[in-house]
Structure formats: C-alpha cells, structure tokens
Amino acid sequence: MRHRFISSVFCVSASLALAAPSFAGASFSQSKRTLSEIYADQATSFYCGCEFVKEGKKLVPLHESCGYVPRKNANRASRIEWEHVMPAWAFGHQLQCWQEGGRKNCRKDERFRTMEADMHNLVPAIGEVNGDRSNYSFAMLSGEPRSYGACDMEVHFKSRKVEPPEHRRGDIARSYFYMRDQYGVRLSKQQTQLFEAWDKQDPVDRWERQRNQEIARLQGNENPYISGAHSTGSNVAEQPAESSWLNQVLALLAVIYQALNS
C-alpha cells in the first residue's frame, strides 16, 4: 500500500507540474525579443496593418505602407511597441500587489510577471496607437472619426472606449478569453457577450493559427480558442479558471484516497 501511495503522490505532483505554465519566470523583455523573431516573416502592426522593419534594436513602422498619419505624437508613432491586448491594468488591478502599490509593486509578484510576459496577449502596435489606447475598454462606437489616416482605429478619449478594425476583433476576443481562463481574470457579462459576437464575426485566420503554434512551441502552451480546443459558448464563458483547477485536484485526491483504502 505504501508503494501505491508514493506512486499516487508522484502522479499528483507530475499532473500539477504539467498544468502549471511552463513559462513561469519569463520576463516581459524576453517575450518582446522572442516575438520580434516570430514576427520576422509577418512584420505588420496589429491594428493598422503597417509593415515594419528592424533598425538596430528598434522596430520602425513604414507609415506609407498603410496610410498611417500621426494624430499628435510623431515621435512615438515612429516606433513599434508590444501592446497587451488585455491591458496590464485589466489583469493586474485584480491582484493584491496592484491594490497595494500599482504596477510597479507588482514587478515583484511572480504571477503578475508571468501574465505580463504571456506572448498570447502581446501584439505589435504603432507606439502612438498603443499610447492612445492606454487601458481603455474595447467597444462599438458610433460615428467616431478616424484619427490615424487610413488606419481604422477609433479612440473615444472622453468615454475611455476603443473600437478596433473589424479584422482584429476576433483576435482580441480570443486573447481576452484566453487570459480569463488561464489566469482567472474576471470579465463582465457585457464584455463576454461582445467578445462572443466578435469571435463569430472574425474567425481564426492562417497567421493567427501559425502565431499560436509558434508561441505554443516556445512558451509551452497554446490558446485553445485559436486551436479549436475550446468553444466560446456561454457555458464556458461563465466558468472561471479556478474551477477547472479545483476539479483536477479533487480528482487526483480521489485517486490517493482509493489507493490508501485498497
């Protein structure tokens, strides 16, 4: 019986190790360097579709390739930045470290650092667009003018809302659902309904699938909403990530109990 107990404990430890993110300990700066390599053959900005090139350590957008016109900050518009689709504020402010000292304080928190470095939630964006988007929520806006030339990115500063281009809405939805399930980030009912609609309207494309595979290979996990392993149905949307972890633990404890009593 002792042998069976040790074997069961080993199985529990192995299962939990497999369930934990293999990229824990990664940094935001490391992820940005890795993503630069992933995007080497697909060097276009996420929202505006601008081609970009590498000049030294800097990624530079070619505004003429997409008709981009800086709104206000030409300096920041001259570089590509790695934007969190779900902003750091959105997943960070739900953590204790953020509540006790903001993003700077969370630099010491391993869970936050893992979330911040997760490549499934990072995309290349023109710096000015990244700055204007800030931590604003995605939404559908009515009658907002384009402020970035031909780039169909609409920002309403007063309401703190952003409407992205149609061809990026599904990508955004699948990033949010991934972050919700992977880390237990809470989404409102309104957000969930909007993103479910966007997921259907803008299906997974070839590059999104290829990017997902590359990140899975390097980071150790995939976005199941891109690979097709998960559905965005409402029954899934209401289930927090913690419940799936709890079910795993309970099932494994049942195995130990059976081993001890056999």
Side-chain angles (χ1 to χ4, degrees), residues 61-72:
L62 304 177
H63 294 168
E64 65 276 10
S65 69
C66 63
Y68 185 88
V69 177
R71 179 186 70 85
K72 185 177 181 180

Side-chain angles (χ1 to χ4, degrees), residues 95-120:
L95 300 177
Q96 189 68 30
C97 63
W98 194 287
Q99 296 168 18
E100 294 176 351
R103 184 169 184 168
K104 184 177 181 180
N105 187 54
C106 280
R107 296 293 188 194
K108 299 174 286 186
D109 186 278
E110 183 177 349
R111 180 172 176 79
F112 175 81
R113 291 199 305 269
T114 299
M115 297 165 79
E116 184 185 42
D118 195 315
M119 292 188 286
H120 287 297

